[in-house]
Amino acid sequence: MNFTLYRELLAVRPIRRLLLVGMVARIPHSAAGVLLTLHIVLTLGEGYAAAGAAAAVMTIGIALGAPWRGRRVDTAGLRTALIPSVVSETVIWSIVPHVSYQWLLPLVFVGGLLTLPIFSVVRQSLGVLADGGQRRTAFALDAISTEVVFMVGPAAGAVVATSGLTTAGLTVVGVSTSLAGLFLMWFNPPTRSAGETLESAEDQRHAAEAAVVSAAPAHVQEAAAELVPAGTLDAAGLRAKVAGNFTWFTSTVAAVFAVAAGAGMVLSGTDVGIVAALETGGHQREIGVVFLFWCAASVAGGLLYGAMHRPVPPVVLLLGMAALTVPMAFAHDTWSLALVSLLPGILCAPVLSAASEKVADLVPEERRGEAMGWYGSALTAGVALGSPLAGVFIDVMGPSGGFVSVGAAGVALCLVGMVLQRRRRAAA
């Protein structure tokens, strides 16, 4: 392993600046999820089902907006494409804290729709500014910085929210993200090279998949939404997809997509469950401790899985992660919850890595980009389902209901999938 590659890469000023901006730009939104949940529960006095529904609405907005925003970067240029995001981030997140829950829902949907596309912009720009082995090193550095941000962000959001500053915190999220967008517009890093090679396109795809793993377990929705290849959802492209040949979409690929949806459901439900467990016990300020343990376990699990020589079926990994989520319901304080979160956390990155790897193995190369877009959609759909599902059970059963509901649903999904797979093999 040659660590001098990192030093050489960071010596290039445009790359160093882009990585720094990308890291800073992700911090506000990494704190936004916890802030929004606690604002709805503590400030507005709504339940966790309402908070989960708001998270789902924002996730749907992100999923719908990502392809359009990616295409705008391609067709209109970075500066023009970022104007709606820069304006909306400040306007919407300054209004959200001051409105009732009924008005909050459409606002967070529009906020998700126009979220600053930081994942795709940084990834595309690094693909142009770096080349060959340097490009892979740049993507690895970006993945590492993403993991660090998503460990720190929720802790910062929890501290702000429990200080009674959710209104100021959500406003700062919007203003800070807009400032990051303005800096990107001033910096204007290139997002397209004169002639994109097959190697660079493949590296971009691998980087998009790695971003999903890096954003897990707490913030997979934005990275998953941007798995859809930029420019593929124009009118002609959409007609071609509908009328196109879906022979690559076999029952095995469908099973992997179901695993992706199940993983998203378990992760987003666990996210809400952690916040509820600590808020109900009066330990809101310690939410960051649990998120740190949970995210660190995912990083460690990803490193261990990457060092393995033989792949593990993604359905087996999801079964383990879902089953190990249930014991989190029996944690009685912050530290016990943090320690128990290590068990499902260590399987988080391996589930997502194994699932994306399986899609790449099953789908022909010429259709792989399209397949990964649908994989991202499945993952995002699961994220949108998990938050309100956990929220409903939390309101009915207490915080333990969030962990039990998504854990049991994940286990049930895996068992049904394994039974169907065994029957199909027996019939063959």
Side-chain angles (χ1 to χ4, degrees):
M1 189 175 290
N2 186 6
F3 286 100
T4 59
L5 288 173
Y6 291 104
R7 188 176 68 245
E8 292 171 0
L9 187 75
L10 291 173
V12 181
R13 187 181 178 188
I15 293 178
R16 183 175 68 245
R17 184 165 52 182
L18 179 63
L19 287 169
L20 181 61
V21 172
M23 185 174 182
V24 172
R26 290 181 180 118
I27 292 174
H29 274 282
S30 69
V34 171
L35 269 172
L36 184 62
T37 298
L38 290 175
H39 174 74
I40 292 170
V41 173
L42 298 178
T43 306
L44 298 184
E46 302 286 343
Y48 279 94
V57 167
M58 186 165 67
T59 298
I60 293 168
I62 291 171
L64 293 175
W68 167 73
R69 286 181 283 109
R71 182 170 180 266
R72 284 291 293 168
V73 171
D74 290 340
T75 58
L78 181 65
R79 285 175 171 165
T80 302
L82 290 186
I83 291 174
S85 296
V86 168
V87 173
S88 68
E89 290 281 2
T90 293
V91 172
I92 289 174
W93 291 104
S94 297
I95 296 173
V96 162
H98 302 285
V99 299
S100 65
Y101 180 75
Q102 289 71 23
W103 284 103
L104 181 144
L105 289 176
L107 283 170
V108 297
F109 173 78
V110 177
L113 198 69
L114 298 174
T115 294
L116 189 73
I118 192 65
F119 280 94
S120 59
V121 169
V122 171
R123 187 173 67 244
Q124 288 176 274
S125 299
L126 286 176
V128 176
L129 293 171
D131 57 4
Q134 194 182 50
R135 185 186 299 120
R136 285 183 284 276
T137 304
F139 288 146
L141 267 177
D142 184 51
I144 292 168
S145 68
T146 300
E147 288 166 351
V148 171
V149 164
F150 289 133
M151 286 184 196
V152 175
V159 170
V160 171
T162 53
S163 300
L165 300 173
T166 57
T167 299
L170 288 170
T171 303
V172 169
V173 164
V175 173
S176 300
T177 308
S178 291
L179 289 174
L182 287 172
F183 192 87
L184 275 174
M185 292 171 68
W186 170 75
F187 175 24
N188 196 27
T191 55
R192 280 288 179 268
S193 57
E196 188 176 39
T197 65
L198 182 62
E199 180 189 17
S200 66
E202 189 70 8
D203 285 344
Q204 289 273 358
R205 185 177 66 80
H206 285 307
E209 295 167 21
V212 174
V213 178
S214 301
H219 290 273
V220 295
Q221 60 267 40
E222 289 182 47
E226 293 181 4
L227 275 174
V228 181
T232 59
L233 290 187
D234 58 349
L238 183 59
R239 284 194 296 270
K241 275 192 174 184
V242 172
N245 186 356
F246 271 77
T247 53
W248 59 267
F249 188 68
T250 63
S251 58
T252 309
V253 173
V256 179
F257 286 178
V259 168
M265 176 189 66
V266 172
L267 292 176
S268 63
T270 304
D271 188 324
V272 175
I274 290 171
V275 175
L278 295 179
E279 184 272 325
T280 304
H283 303 292
Q284 303 98 310
R285 288 180 176 273
E286 297 167 1
I287 287 173
V289 173
V290 181
F291 272 93
L292 179 63
F293 274 67
W294 191 36
C295 294
S298 177
V299 174
L303 291 172
L304 290 171
Y305 184 78
M308 293 174 64
H309 296 293
R310 300 180 67 178
V312 180
V315 68
V316 173
L317 292 168
L318 176 59
L319 178 62
M321 184 176 78
L324 291 171
T325 297
V326 176
M328 293 178 72
F330 303 104
H332 54 82
D333 59 20
T334 302
W335 290 104
S336 61
L337 184 61
L339 291 172
V340 178
S341 75
L342 294 174
L343 301 175
I346 204 165
L347 293 177
C348 171
V351 169
L352 299 173
S353 297
S356 60
E357 180 184 358
K358 191 70 174 177
V359 172
D361 289 341
L362 293 170
V363 178
E365 188 174 348
E366 63 272 13
R367 307 300 296 274
R368 203 167 288 160
E370 178 184 355
M372 290 309 301
W374 288 109
Y375 166 79
S377 298
L379 181 57
T380 305
V383 172
L385 172 64
S387 298
L389 174 65
V392 167
F393 278 87
I394 289 167
D395 288 345
V396 173
M397 299 173 54
S400 61
F403 301 119
V404 173
S405 61
V406 294
V411 168
L413 175 68
C414 291
L415 292 177
V416 169
M418 293 168 83
V419 169
L420 292 176
Q421 190 177 45
R422 185 170 295 179
R423 286 184 178 179
R424 186 173 59 82
R425 286 176 179 172

